[in-house]
Amino acid sequence: MNGSGPKTDLRRSRERMVRDQIEARGVSQPEVLRAMRKVPRHLFVEEALIPQAYEDHPLPIGHGQTISQPYVVAWMTELLAVAPGHKVLEIGTGSGYQAAVLAELGADVFTVERVKPLYELARARMDALRYRRVRLKLDDGTLGWPEEAPFDRILVAAGGPRIPAPLVGQLSETGRMVIPVGASRRSQTLCLVRRENGRVIVRELGGVMFVDLVGTHGW
Ligand code: SAH
């Protein structure tokens, strides 16, 4: 079969998503665009939401949580500058979609989720879709994953009032972290955190809206 049917429609929707929402807003790294074209986002949402899977907004995944807007996933992934073989820590597995995108870039992904049913569903999805480079843990991600540190890259997919100290401590000497930080729960600033000669450098990149980072070093 080619050229028609629901599967082809979804692939077309995905290509349109990359062109109109992601490339059009300035994400240009070919590897990131390829990963966004490849991961079947519609398999990371509940069945009733499949028709909306490639639309330009976040979607509910239950338990008051969301799968992030496609553009935000692509933007954060590009900022992270992931190379094959990088060890990447993600806080906030949610649906598992962002972790799958990171795995498509050849990273070894370690992802932490605090809500058990989300963790279990994401784990089942990773198995079904054969994302073997993704390891999942049920825990408070503001504590990081000390047994696996240091990480080349850290991506935090939920917003808190400050940058959790354990995460900075688990970033490698040449590491990068992307994290939404805000004093209010309704809006945050996306920050790029780098370590340079033992110093921590934080660059503010723009306004974003994420669900709460709930935990010891969060809300
Ligand atoms: N990356 C996800 C989006 C997740 S939304 C995706 O691609 O679908 C943010 C997630 O962070 C939610 O699932 C929420 O439960 C989780 N979260 C919030 N605080 C957390 C914490 N301290 N540790 C681990 N996960 C946390």
Side-chain angles (χ1 to χ4, degrees), residues 32-174:
V32 174
L33 298 174
R34 185 160 33 74
M36 297 298 296
R37 274 197 195 94
K38 181 134 183 240
V39 180
R41 182 173 163 96
H42 63 279
L43 299 181
F44 291 81
V45 299
E46 64 186 80
E47 212 173 325
L49 295 176
I50 288 179
Q52 296 178 55
Y54 295 101
E55 290 178 4
D56 196 9
H57 49 75
L59 287 169
I61 56 172
H63 310 274
Q65 307 304 323
T66 55
I67 175 174
S68 306
Q69 181 190 9
Y71 167 67
V72 171
V73 172
W75 183 35
M76 289 177 83
T77 305
E78 182 169 70
L79 286 168
L80 218 51
V82 175
H86 269 166
K87 222 170 159 176
V88 181
L89 174 66
E90 181 197 23
I91 308 307
T93 313
S95 67
Y97 176 67
Q98 172 77 71
V101 170
L102 293 167
E104 288 290 351
L105 293 169
D108 292 314
V109 184
F110 296 80
T111 181
V112 188
E113 172 58 55
R114 61 180 284 276
V115 177
K116 192 169 182 202
L118 292 177
Y119 156 80
E120 284 173 345
L121 186 56
R123 201 167 65 167
R125 272 191 190 120
M126 292 299 151
D127 285 347
L129 296 172
R130 307 219 189 300
Y131 281 109
R132 297 204 178 83
R133 308 190 81 111
V134 180
R135 284 176 54 191
L136 302 95
K137 175 159 122 157
L138 177 67
D139 205 349
D140 171 7
T142 66
L143 303 171
W145 194 324
E147 302 81 10
E148 291 292 343
F151 295 96
D152 301 298
R153 302 289 186 258
I154 299 179
L155 187 154
V156 183
R162 65 193 80 85
I163 301 169
L167 299 186
V168 177
Q170 290 172 32
L171 200 54
S172 80
E173 268 312 309
T174 52

